[in-house]
Structure formats: structure tokens, C-alpha cells
Amino acid sequence: MTDTYDLSITRLIDAPVDAVWRAWTEHTADWFCPRPWTAKFHVMDLRPGGRSSITMSGPNGEQNDLEGVYLEVIPHRLIVSTDAFRTGWHPQGPFMVRVDEFADEAGQTRYTATARHWTAEARDNHAAMGFDAGWNAATDQLEEVARRLAS
């Protein structure tokens, strides 16, 4: 298949990979969704096949429960997750595969976050929901946390 239905952002974060990795894995609720939204991580079993359970809450009482699994985890390099399955490999209506990549670049971190969709329609709907603004705002928050951890 040559067509991909990705939305992606790439950022050079002014913090070392270790700090960005720790921000992503240990302080996720501090950055995961753009303020004023909040995220509560019920389960974050960061290993292949491990469960992810998150509730995102909006300022007007909105609530979005996210359930999925981690597909691949390479410490300080890669996290791949999906909502196509819930724990135990039980299929559920998929939205995307999320790929987070971390690479050292002269002491800073080249961070790439990709949302990979099954169809062009799903990709376009995610873009219309505010992918660019939302994921860039979350990445700004990730950088804030990483810089704090690095200092």
C-alpha cells in the first residue's frame, strides 16, 4: 500500500532525549491534551500488549474515554499505540495508530508524533477536529515539562 493517511508534527525540542522521554512517560497528564482540557491516566502499561486507559475532560464538562494498547515500546526511541484493540487483543472501532519517535540531535530531541488512520476520511475528520492546533499545543506543553526536568 503506497497511500498513507497520516497527520504528523515534528519538532526540535530544546531538551535531551532522556528528559523528553521522562516527560512523555512519567508526566503524561501534564501535557497530553491542550489546556484547558485535562487528561487522567487510569492505566499506562508501557510495554507491547500493555493497556492504555485515559479520560480527557474539557472545560465545559466534555469527556472522552480512550482505551487501547501499546504495540511497540523502545525506551528513549519509540512508542506505538492504537485504539483498534483493547486489552486482551479484543477488537474495537479503530480511530488511529499513534507513533511517537524520539531522536537525539546534538543534545536536543527531534520529536515526531504521527496519527496514522485507516482511511482518508478518518484522517480528514481528525484534521478538521483540530489536529494541527491541538497536537502542536500538546507538544508545546511536552517541551515545557521536558525543559523543567532537564534543568
Side-chain angles (χ1 to χ4, degrees):
M1 179 169 163
T2 57
D3 292 331
T4 60
Y5 305 113
D6 292 357
L7 297 171
S8 187
I9 62 165
T10 298
R11 181 87 58 84
L12 184 61
I13 295 177
D14 188 17
V17 169
D18 179 66
V20 178
W21 179 264
R22 287 187 309 131
W24 205 109
T25 61
E26 298 172 16
H27 301 268
T28 319
D30 294 340
W31 67 266
F32 191 76
C33 51
R35 296 179 194 108
W37 283 72
T38 60
K40 180 175 182 179
F41 283 74
H42 308 288
V43 179
M44 188 175 179
D45 186 5
L46 208 57
R47 63 179 177 82
R51 180 177 176 220
S52 172
S53 177
I54 308 160
T55 298
M56 295 181 2
S57 300
N60 298 314
E62 308 94 331
Q63 206 163 348
N64 189 7
D65 293 315
L66 307 170
E67 181 80 24
V69 296
Y70 295 98
L71 301 172
E72 186 174 10
V73 178
I74 302 172
H76 300 95
R77 288 193 37 221
L78 180 69
I79 299 170
V80 181
S81 60
T82 187
D83 61 354
F85 300 96
R86 63 182 191 274
T87 198
W89 303 112
H90 295 280
Q92 60 183 6
F95 180 57
M96 70 177 177
V97 172
R98 180 182 176 127
V99 180
D100 292 271
E101 300 170 273
F102 310 79
D104 177 67
E105 195 167 304
Q108 296 182 314
T109 303
R110 177 67 59 188
Y111 172 70
T112 301
T114 302
R116 184 162 288 157
H117 304 84
W118 272 255
T119 65
E121 180 182 14
R123 178 201 56 211
D124 296 347
N125 286 341
H126 196 183
M129 287 169 49
F131 171 85
D132 283 329
W135 283 43
N136 274 297
T139 301
D140 289 342
Q141 295 166 182
L142 173 65
E143 182 168 14
E144 289 172 17
V145 175
R147 289 177 67 149
R148 185 178 71 237
L149 292 172
S151 60

